Amino acid sequence: MDKIIQHPLRCRCGVVQGFVENPQRANRVVCYCKDCQAFARFLGNEDRILDARGGSEIFQVLPKDVTFVQGVESLACLRLTEKGMVRWYAACCRTPIGNTLENFKVSFVGLLHNCLETVDRPLQDFFGPVRTYAYPNGAIGDPKPKASGMATTIWWFLKTISKARFNGDYKHTPFFRMDTGKPIAAPHVLSHDERSNAMRQPAR
């Protein structure tokens, strides 16, 4: 049996705090898609969230492995469109937390690096190396980065979600209410103008 490791999770101002269990089981991805970039721009923290090419560093884990010990009431979420992903952040300081799908039965959350960074050890010591570079066509500037590792991410996703659905782990999530199946905070769907502004890439 693997030793249970707990990695701290917190927003920038410290109101939202918690931990991630089993970080060694995460799938670490850099995503260059325009939607992830738009999320960062809407929060007004793109310089902290995105790398120089517009990539978001994301750690895909099971929601059951995420525990909030304080500040849950400060969690907020948005959707770029009516059918878009549910994107979570700390309303207190607009630190991105992670991305989920609308259906909690698809059991995964992609945590953003900003809520996981510590001052003493690099994230690689806990979560391992980046395994996938996704959607490079959305990257800022040219030449575009090369896509790699998508098969690894698809396999992780299918294996992890299927197991959680089979053994009932999907029922344990801090992001949804089990009595209604709805997010614990009502998602704000971006207006046309909000989304247009967020999707606008800087000139490079």
Side-chain angles (χ1 to χ4, degrees):
M1 180 180 296
D2 292 340
K3 179 183 177 181
I4 295 178
I5 300 171
Q6 294 182 345
H7 182 84
L9 180 156
R10 71 189 303 275
C11 69
R12 192 168 70 252
C13 71
V15 168
V16 177
Q17 294 192 30
F19 58 87
V20 182
E21 287 191 352
N22 303 310
Q24 72 277 10
R25 300 181 188 176
N27 186 50
R28 188 175 180 183
V29 177
V30 174
C31 180
Y32 295 98
C33 82
K34 293 181 180 180
D35 285 355
C36 283
Q37 293 176 34
F39 180 39
R41 294 191 191 101
F42 181 82
L43 294 180
N45 282 327
E46 60 266 42
D47 290 342
R48 292 189 178 96
I49 301 169
L50 305 177
D51 65 23
R53 304 301 304 277
S56 296
E57 193 170 349
I58 299 170
F59 300 80
Q60 297 174 333
V61 302
L62 282 172
K64 82 171 187 66
D65 287 334
V66 178
T67 299
F68 294 103
V69 298
Q70 70 174 54
V72 174
E73 66 281 358
S74 290
L75 288 178
C77 58
L78 63 83
R79 304 180 78 170
L80 300 179
T81 65
E82 289 282 353
K83 300 296 184 181
M85 296 188 78
V86 182
R87 298 175 183 271
W88 297 87
Y89 63 98
C92 44
C93 57
R94 300 179 78 79
T95 299
I97 302 297
N99 307 316
T100 64
L101 297 179
E102 180 184 27
N103 184 353
F104 73 92
K105 294 179 181 179
V106 183
S107 187
F108 101 105
V109 56
L111 298 173
L112 275 294
H113 73 92
N114 304 81
C115 68
L116 300 173
E117 291 174 334
T118 61
V119 296
D120 53 344
R121 293 175 64 183
L123 290 175
Q124 181 158 320
D125 287 357
F126 294 92
F127 295 91
V130 175
R131 295 184 175 91
T132 301
Y133 292 88
Y135 305 109
N137 287 341
I140 297 170
D142 290 303
K144 303 298 184 187
K146 291 185 178 180
S148 65
M150 282 303 296
T152 298
T153 289
I154 292 170
W155 171 243
W156 180 93
F157 191 87
L158 293 175
K159 178 183 66 174
T160 303
I161 276 63
S162 298
K163 183 178 179 180
R165 188 66 180 273
F166 178 77
N167 64 18
D169 281 347
Y170 73 91
K171 298 177 183 178
H172 305 284
T173 170
F175 300 100
F176 291 84
R177 294 186 175 91
M178 287 300 96
D179 56 342
T180 64
K182 301 295 184 183
I184 62 170
H188 166 63
V189 180
L190 268 59
S191 68
H192 175 77
D193 288 345
E194 286 175 327
R195 187 170 185 273
S196 294
N197 289 333
M199 294 293 289
R200 188 174 296 119
Q201 285 190 344
R204 292 288 175 93

